[in-house]
């Protein structure tokens, strides 16, 4: 979970700082000026340094498009780093006045996150105080790798797609990759973007994940999705054959379970925990 946070902090940090730059740029600037503004902003506002070794372009409008290649983010705390071959983002500026970062389209290709065992959470968490709340209409992330200090690949995200037909339609999510060289898939739906900040009804979430022989489904709602609070989620676990998952345990049979998650993602509370083992050899 800590690794995922680092990835999200780095990526959203790039987007948040870029949006702040785009919101207050001067019309007389050229692409090189914008690029230097972005590099300086990341250095001043975060625990990272930014370099852009490839192309950089900005299309100015009320919904500007920022694209860059050869991006490198380096932690000032240790040797942790983020490398992105290609980054493209389109956003709408007006919602920034309400501290909302409306991302119309996001593309990230070939991203590598190198993590150090000594990585301090503060180097990523320090960015949070500058974040507007991100709301994504459409996003595609492909070939994302998380690598630990000895060079071991921990996670690989082959592709993650978040898309909705319009702001009143549900957000569809599809993703695939590997964890410790074991394949996983995730799919599901979130509520429409138009309902994300509605105060009169909770925001729905329905997700299903498959990791080799483990199946996990999550259904429920979030009362405050912008702040990841007020969650009420029911998780169901199904392992058709426990011996395929934990070879060191001398058990065979199906394992099914469930639990309820409430509170916030920062401080979740588990309740209604159930676990049932069925020894099929005795049936």
């Amino acid at each position: 979970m800590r690794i995922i946070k680092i990835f999200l902090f780095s990526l959203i940090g790039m987007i948040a700082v870029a949006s702040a730059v785009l919101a207050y740029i001067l019309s007389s600037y050229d692409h090189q000026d914008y690029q230097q503004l972005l590099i300086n902003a990341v250095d001043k506002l975060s625990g990272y340094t930014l370099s852009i070794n490839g192309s950089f372009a900005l299309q100015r409008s009320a919904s500007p498009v920022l694209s860059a290649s050869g991006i490198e983010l380096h932690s000032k705390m240790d040797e942790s780093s983020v490398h992105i071959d290609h980054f493209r983002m389109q956003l709408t500026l007006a919602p920034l006045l309400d501290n909302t970062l409306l991302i119309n389209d996001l593309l990230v290709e070939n991203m590598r996150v190198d993590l150090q065992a000594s990585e301090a959470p503060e180097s990523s968490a320090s960015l949070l105080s500058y974040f507007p709340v991100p709301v994504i209409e459409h996003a595609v992330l492909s070939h994302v790798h998380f690598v630990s200090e000895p060079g071991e690949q921990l996670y690989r995200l082959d592709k993650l797609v978040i898309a909705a037909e319009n702001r009143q339609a549900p957000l569809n999510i599809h993703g695939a990759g590997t964890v410790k060289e074991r394949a996983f898939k995730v799919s599901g739906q979130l509520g429409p973007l138009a309902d994300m900040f509605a105060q009169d009804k909770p925001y729905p979430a329905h997700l299903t994940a498959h990791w080799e022989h483990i199946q996990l489904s999550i259904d429920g709602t979030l009362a405050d999705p912008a702040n990841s609070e007020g969650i009420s989620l029911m998780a169901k676990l199904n392992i058709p054959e426990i011996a395929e998952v934990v070879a060191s345990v001398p058990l065979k049979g199906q394992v099914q379970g469930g639990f309820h998650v409430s509170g916030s993602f920062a401080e979740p509370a588990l309740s209604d925990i159930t676990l049932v083992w069925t020894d099929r050899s005795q049936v």
Side-chain angles (χ1 to χ4, degrees):
M1 196 55 133
R2 182 166 167 261
I3 295 172
I4 295 175
K5 285 183 179 179
I6 296 169
F7 162 61
L8 292 177
F9 289 161
S10 301
L11 180 58
I12 295 175
M14 268 287 296
I15 298 170
V17 174
S19 68
V21 172
L22 292 174
Y24 301 106
I25 53 178
L26 299 175
S27 59
S28 60
Y29 280 21
D30 59 23
H31 290 314
Q32 188 174 1
D33 294 326
Y34 298 137
Q35 178 174 332
Q36 193 57 50
L37 271 175
L38 179 58
I39 291 173
N40 293 343
V42 171
D43 183 55
K44 298 293 185 182
L45 300 178
S46 77
Y48 292 89
T49 59
L50 169 67
S51 61
I52 301 174
N53 303 312
S55 61
F56 181 94
L58 172 64
Q59 300 175 16
R60 295 192 300 270
S61 71
S63 296
V65 178
L66 171 68
S67 62
S69 61
I71 297 171
E72 295 186 8
L73 282 165
H74 292 273
S75 172
K76 298 176 182 177
M77 306 293 292
D78 53 33
E79 298 301 318
S80 297
S81 61
V82 179
H83 301 259
I84 305 174
D85 280 357
H86 184 63
F87 175 91
R88 182 182 183 275
M89 175 187 65
Q90 182 179 24
L91 57 92
T92 301
L93 295 180
L96 285 170
L97 298 175
D98 296 323
N99 196 39
T100 299
L101 177 63
L102 178 56
I103 302 169
N104 307 110
D105 190 43
L106 173 66
L107 173 66
V108 177
E109 294 179 327
N110 298 328
M111 178 174 181
R112 177 185 170 104
V113 182
D114 288 280
L115 303 169
Q116 295 290 309
S118 61
E119 194 276 335
E122 292 80 6
S123 64
S124 293
S126 63
L127 290 170
L128 287 177
S129 59
Y130 302 98
F131 284 174
V133 177
V135 177
I136 299 175
E137 286 188 327
H138 181 268
V140 176
L141 284 71
S142 60
H143 305 298
V144 178
H145 300 261
F146 298 91
V147 181
S148 65
E149 186 175 2
E152 176 187 2
Q153 179 170 276
L154 301 175
Y155 303 93
R156 187 184 78 228
L157 182 62
D158 295 324
K159 195 155 195 177
L160 176 65
V161 179
I162 303 173
E165 292 183 3
N166 53 64
R167 295 186 187 180
Q168 282 68 45
L171 277 172
N172 295 303
I173 298 176
H174 299 280
T178 61
V179 178
K180 296 286 189 177
E181 300 301 326
R182 295 186 177 184
F184 75 86
K185 293 183 179 180
V186 61
S187 61
Q189 281 189 343
L190 301 178
L193 283 174
D195 296 345
M196 183 169 287
F197 298 99
Q199 300 296 320
D200 57 342
K201 58 182 177 180
Y203 189 72
H206 309 281
L207 298 171
T208 302
H210 297 266
W211 184 45
E212 287 202 338
H213 304 285
I214 300 176
Q215 302 164 13
L216 178 67
S217 63
I218 298 175
D219 291 278
T221 60
L222 293 84
D224 186 0
N227 296 309
S228 301
E229 296 177 347
I231 62 177
S232 178
L233 302 172
M234 188 66 203
K236 295 182 179 180
L237 176 70
N238 180 39
I239 305 176
E241 178 52 66
I242 187 63
E244 299 286 348
V245 178
V246 188
S248 59
V249 177
L251 293 175
K252 291 185 177 182
Q254 183 181 24
V255 174
Q256 293 178 302
F259 54 90
H260 183 261
V261 185
S262 59
S264 66
F265 285 114
E267 297 181 356
L270 302 183
S271 61
D272 301 329
I273 300 173
T274 61
L275 192 64
V276 178
W277 168 53
T278 303
D279 186 353
R280 292 178 175 172
S281 64
Q282 303 298 321
V283 178

